[in-house]
Amino acid sequence: MKLIIAVIQDKDSHRLIDALSDKEYKTTKLSTTGGFLKEGNTTLMIGCEDEEVDQALDIIKHKSSHREQMVAPISPMGGNADSYIPRPINIEVGGATVFVLPVDSFFQF
Ligand code: 2BA
Ligand code: 2BA
């Protein structure tokens, strides 16, 4: 058995959970916060059999959207702070960041 942990955008969470449920995957949704943007995102935990992992990854891949976002750095990256002019940088927020972990044991009491 494997545990898939997928960090996704909030706006994709409903349709992704629905698509996974349609294929009878069980999911748990956590409300999380990205460390860099300090904005809300969604983390899904999906416990499934080894042979079901590829299909789950395929569903996650196709239901997760990318977005670009301008970010204003809040502090200089080094050098003289007096001459610091904050320049917004463009970052690409993925799709989905996915970890697949082996599960030692699975219990439901
Ligand atoms: P829920 O997803 O809200 O599911 C509540 C109950 O609905 C489940 O109870 C199960 O009896 C049924 N159920 C859920 N998904 C189903 C599906 N795709 N097909 C048929 N029946 C389904 P529990 O199995 O006791 O699970 C309680 C909660 O534990 C779940 O809440 C979910 O948050 C979490 N969970 C259970 N199994 C999981 C897994 N393999 N991966 C991730 N989270 C799991
Ligand atoms: P955040 O930490 O809010 O990051 C949002 C986006 O900002 C990232 O998108 C990436 O494009 C950029 N970014 C993050 N850290 C950066 C840094 N130190 N320098 C420059 N740019 C940076 P994604 O990579 O698609 O990540 C989306 C979210 O997935 C992240 O939100 C975080 O919550 C999670 N995540 C990504 N990689 C992770 C990892 N290795 N471990 C745990 N969580 C991760």
Side-chain angles (χ1 to χ4, degrees):
M1 190 178 190
K2 294 281 194 288
L3 177 65
I4 301 173
I5 299 178
V7 186
I8 58 167
Q9 296 188 43
D10 289 342
K11 69 183 174 73
D12 295 329
S13 64
H14 279 106
R15 61 189 190 131
L16 175 52
I17 290 169
D18 287 349
L20 289 165
S21 292
D22 286 348
K23 297 290 182 189
E24 295 184 1
Y25 288 95
K26 294 188 175 178
T27 59
T28 295
K29 173 179 179 284
L30 308 172
S31 295
T32 46
T33 305
F36 186 70
L37 292 179
K38 314 262 187 308
E39 289 179 3
N41 53 28
T42 295
T43 299
L44 293 185
M45 297 197 304
I46 307 150
C48 64
E49 299 303 325
D50 288 15
E51 58 273 17
E52 295 168 342
V53 169
D54 286 347
Q55 180 179 241
L57 294 178
D58 204 45
I59 295 169
I60 295 167
K61 186 175 173 184
H62 286 98
K63 298 289 177 189
S64 306
S65 46
H66 291 252
R67 76 169 196 270
E68 294 199 350
Q69 184 168 333
M70 297 300 285
V71 181
I74 52 171
S75 61
M77 304 295 282
N80 185 348
D82 293 337
S83 62
Y84 172 63
I85 302 167
R87 284 183 205 284
I89 53 166
N90 196 31
I91 58 161
E92 182 176 345
V93 184
T97 297
V98 183
F99 305 86
V100 181
L101 288 69
V103 173
D104 276 350
S105 312
F106 171 71
F107 302 106
Q108 286 191 301
F109 297 117

